[in-house]
């Protein structure tokens, strides 16, 4: 069997490892536009802050490493797959170094082409001191530009924007943080939690402008100028990070895609063409809180989908469990962790939903120290099923988000959460775990509404 893999970051790398683990003599050709593979872009802020001193340490695999997995594995770097003819099982490839093109055939194809950073259609967006944040080249450019900078503008209020604002506030820079099209972290949290994040940024000196919409960029040799709907800001340079979109032009019209361009796959990561599998940022996830496709470009989703594509390309055996898009981030000395739907998103989807917010110390007040946790639980008012949750605290609450993720996947209710068995020891929690108390608050609210 001749297997071709197009794209080699998280999903592509995971797929190749799985194929060769199951069938070491498989013929696998990997085509990657870039000169590198397997870059952990989620670590860029750590590199820019200086916590990770070497960018090279964020590459967790190499072409030589993949080729060592089997005698018939070939990694083609700087090779762009320009056209696909799925009917005849072949595609066109251009060697980006030489300009030479050739045709490659396949028995099975795995599409792991990833995503693009969203580039707003604004004047000046491509000027030299207006930078994007996606890959290793972007990280190097930002690091180099920041060496002599005093003021850095961050445009975009998602995870990357918040992480960059925090990173550069820690390095002594003046940070202008501009966001206005959507609320801060609106994809992950509702307003009560988002307001806490904004307050934490302000407390650490970040100059937040979270109700301003960027309209135009300009620059000269040493400055970037950002005109918004309210005023004009000046910085030494600006980083624009307003989201990602699937890179799926290669399969356009040849496999089923969603309205947002993401590829639809079945439970085995198989597209509408039975000989084409797909995974990672190019693909829609099966979003368990709604039971429908959703676009959620997270590394956790990519590695799971990639591993499944590698298993199932050799014969459909393992089904995709879907995702709750569970995620977490550090915000100075706090942790934010989220899973499932926000209330805003649930209501936009016209689901019968409500939310309850509770603030509770994680362990008894008689202990030498404790810490409050602000929690928000989103639930279906008709079925009482858990739809989503948001947790914010100085205490490490990431495993609590993982537990709630499992409960959403298993279709547990707020009543289950209220009484599920959890350990008690004063070192770790109260007789009622804080998640039990959150469930009980939701039960009380739901019962009162009946």
């Amino acid at each position: 069997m001749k297997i071709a893999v197009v794209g080699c970051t998280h999903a592509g790398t995971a797929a190749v490892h799985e194929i060769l683990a199951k069938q070491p003599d498989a013929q696998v050709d990997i085509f990657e536009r870039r000169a590198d593979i397997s870059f952990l872009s989620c670590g860029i802020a750590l590199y820019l802050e200086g916590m990770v001193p070497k960018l090279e340490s964020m590459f967790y695999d190499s072409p030589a490493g993949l080729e060592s997995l089997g005698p018939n594995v070939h990694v083609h770097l700087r090779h762009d797959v320009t056209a696909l003819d799925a009917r005849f099982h072949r595609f066109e490839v251009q060697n980006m170094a030489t300009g030479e093109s050739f045709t490659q055939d396949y028995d099975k194809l795995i599409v792991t082409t990833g995503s693009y950073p969203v580039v707003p259609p604004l004047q000046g967006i491509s000027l030299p001191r207006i930078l994007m944040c996606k890959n290793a080249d972007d990280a190097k450019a930002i690091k180099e530009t920041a060496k002599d900078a005093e003021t850095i503008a961050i445009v975009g209020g998602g995870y990357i924007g918040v992480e960059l604002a925090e990173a550069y506030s820690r390095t002594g820079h003046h940070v202008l943080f501009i966001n206005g099209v959507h609320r801060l972290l609106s994809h992950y949290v509702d307003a009560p939690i988002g307001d806490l994040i904004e307050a934490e940024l302000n407390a650490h000196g970040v100059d937040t402008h979270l109700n301003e919409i960027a309209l135009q960029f300009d620059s000269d040799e040493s400055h970037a100028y950002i005109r918004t709907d309210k005023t004009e800001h000046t910085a030494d340079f600006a980083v624009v990070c307003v989201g990602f979109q699937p890179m799926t032009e290669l399969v356009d019209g040849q496999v089923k895609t969603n309205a947002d361009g993401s590829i639809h796959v079945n439970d085995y990561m198989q597209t509408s063409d039975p000989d084409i599998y797909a995974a990672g940022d190019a693909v829609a996830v099966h979003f368990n809180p709604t039971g429908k496709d959703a676009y959620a470009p997270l590394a956790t989703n990519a590695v799971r989908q990639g591993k499944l594509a590698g298993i199932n390309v050799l014969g459909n055996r393992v089904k995709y469990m879907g995702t709750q898009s569970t995620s977490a981030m550090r915000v100075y000395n706090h942790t934010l962790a989220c899973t499932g739907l926000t209330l805003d998103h649930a209501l936009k989807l016209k689901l019968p939903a409500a939310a309850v917010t509770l603030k509770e110390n994680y362990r008894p007040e008689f202990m030498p120290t404790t810490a409050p946790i602000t929690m928000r639980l989103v639930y279906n008012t008709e079925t009482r099923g858990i739809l989503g949750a948001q947790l914010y605290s100085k205490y490490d609450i990431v495993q609590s988000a993982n537990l709630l993720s499992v409960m959403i996947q298993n279709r547990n209710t707020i009543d289950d959460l209220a009484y599920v068995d959890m350990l008690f020891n004063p070192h770790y929690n109260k007789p009622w775990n804080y998640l039990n108390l959150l469930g009980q608050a939701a039960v009380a609210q739901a019962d009162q509404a009946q």
Side-chain angles (χ1 to χ4, degrees):
M1 183 185 293
K2 295 178 65 176
I3 302 171
V5 179
V6 181
C8 198
T9 308
H10 304 312
T13 302
V16 172
H17 274 271
E18 198 59 37
I19 293 167
L20 276 302
K22 297 291 187 295
Q23 199 170 106
D25 60 345
Q27 181 174 336
V28 183
D29 284 277
I30 301 112
F31 297 89
E32 169 56 51
R33 283 178 174 176
R34 293 185 51 79
D36 53 54
I37 66 168
S38 72
F39 177 65
L40 279 168
S41 57
C42 51
I44 288 177
L46 301 175
Y47 167 68
L48 297 178
E49 182 182 329
M51 184 176 293
V52 176
K54 293 183 179 180
L55 188 67
E56 294 75 20
S57 62
M58 292 195 295
F59 293 92
Y60 58 91
D61 214 326
S62 66
L66 291 187
E67 290 184 338
S68 71
L69 297 175
N72 302 309
V73 183
H74 304 285
V75 180
H76 308 271
L77 297 179
R78 300 286 293 158
H79 279 68
D80 186 17
V81 178
T82 57
L84 170 67
D85 188 339
R87 181 181 175 189
F88 292 101
H89 286 63
R90 64 192 181 200
F91 52 81
E92 297 297 318
V93 184
Q94 183 182 51
N95 183 325
M96 298 170 70
T98 66
E100 180 185 0
S101 295
F102 60 93
T103 300
Q104 176 88 10
D105 62 342
Y106 65 89
D107 296 312
K108 300 286 185 180
L109 175 65
I110 301 179
V111 177
T112 50
T113 44
S115 60
Y116 298 107
V118 172
V119 180
L122 301 178
Q123 183 177 338
I125 192 68
S126 299
L127 290 171
R129 302 192 77 80
I130 313 300
L131 306 178
M132 299 291 156
C133 186
K134 167 67 172 174
N135 56 39
D137 295 336
D138 296 333
K140 291 175 183 176
I142 296 170
K143 185 85 167 181
E144 183 63 27
T145 309
K147 283 182 177 179
D148 301 318
E150 295 183 1
T151 299
I152 300 172
I154 310 297
V155 180
Y159 265 8
I160 294 176
V162 172
E163 288 174 339
L164 292 181
E166 177 185 352
Y168 278 122
S169 71
R170 287 176 178 273
T171 56
H173 291 85
H174 177 223
V175 179
L176 287 169
F177 190 29
I178 301 167
N179 180 70
V181 176
H182 304 289
R183 275 191 305 99
L184 180 68
L185 294 173
S186 63
H187 190 74
Y188 306 95
V189 302
D190 290 311
I193 306 297
D195 291 345
L196 296 177
I197 307 295
E198 179 181 0
E200 192 69 15
L201 290 166
N202 289 333
H204 287 83
V206 175
D207 186 4
T208 58
H209 299 265
L210 301 184
N211 293 301
E212 293 188 32
I213 300 173
L215 301 177
Q216 181 180 329
F217 297 95
D218 202 351
S219 73
D220 55 30
E221 290 185 359
S222 57
H223 293 92
Y225 306 95
I226 307 100
R227 184 167 66 82
T228 72
D229 58 343
K230 294 185 177 180
T231 188
E232 182 172 278
H233 300 280
T234 301
D236 294 297
F237 72 98
V239 182
V240 179
C241 39
V242 294
F244 301 100
Q245 61 189 41
M247 189 184 301
T248 55
E249 303 91 305
L250 181 65
V251 296
D252 189 30
Q254 303 197 61
V255 301
K256 181 181 178 182
T257 56
N258 297 299
D260 59 10
S262 60
I263 300 169
H264 172 78
V265 292
N266 65 14
D267 289 341
Y268 299 98
M269 309 313 300
Q270 191 175 35
T271 71
S272 54
D273 183 317
D275 291 327
I276 300 178
Y277 290 72
D281 284 7
V283 175
V285 299
H286 301 172
F287 193 50
N288 289 325
T290 63
K292 298 179 180 179
D293 275 6
Y295 188 58
L298 295 170
T300 49
N301 293 331
V303 295
R304 284 161 177 76
Q305 290 183 330
K307 185 177 178 72
L308 290 170
I311 292 171
N312 293 320
V313 76
L314 301 173
N316 290 349
R317 294 191 301 107
V318 181
K319 287 187 175 182
Y320 180 36
M321 298 174 71
T323 181
Q324 291 69 249
S325 292
T326 308
S327 61
M329 70 181 302
R330 180 196 71 175
V331 186
Y332 298 99
N333 60 348
H334 286 71
T335 297
L336 170 68
C338 315
T339 187
L341 285 168
T342 65
L343 179 61
D344 286 346
H345 288 167
L347 295 177
K348 285 178 183 178
L349 294 170
K350 302 190 183 305
L351 294 175
V356 64
T357 301
L358 180 68
K359 187 175 182 179
E360 185 69 39
N361 286 333
Y362 82 92
R363 68 179 185 176
E365 288 72 17
F366 61 71
M367 294 298 289
T369 61
T370 188
I373 303 171
T374 302
M375 302 170 279
R376 186 168 173 85
L377 190 71
V378 183
Y379 62 93
N380 186 306
T381 55
E382 294 179 357
T383 68
R384 298 168 78 97
I386 301 170
L387 295 175
Q390 303 146 42
L391 308 170
Y392 182 69
S393 179
K394 290 182 180 179
Y395 180 62
D396 185 353
I397 37 74
V398 294
Q399 294 307 327
S400 295
N402 283 335
L403 171 63
L404 290 164
S405 174
V406 172
M407 295 190 79
I408 296 170
Q409 182 164 299
N410 290 342
R411 300 183 181 179
N412 288 122
T413 65
I414 56 175
D415 305 276
D416 296 329
L417 180 61
Y419 295 103
V420 66
D421 179 37
M422 297 192 191
L423 66 86
F424 164 58
N425 183 296
H427 286 287
Y428 307 111
N429 58 11
K430 297 181 177 183
W432 285 111
N433 181 277
Y434 52 86
L435 292 181
N436 290 134
L437 296 175
L438 179 62
Q440 290 170 20
V443 167
Q445 177 176 282
D447 288 348
Q448 187 176 16
Q450 288 182 344

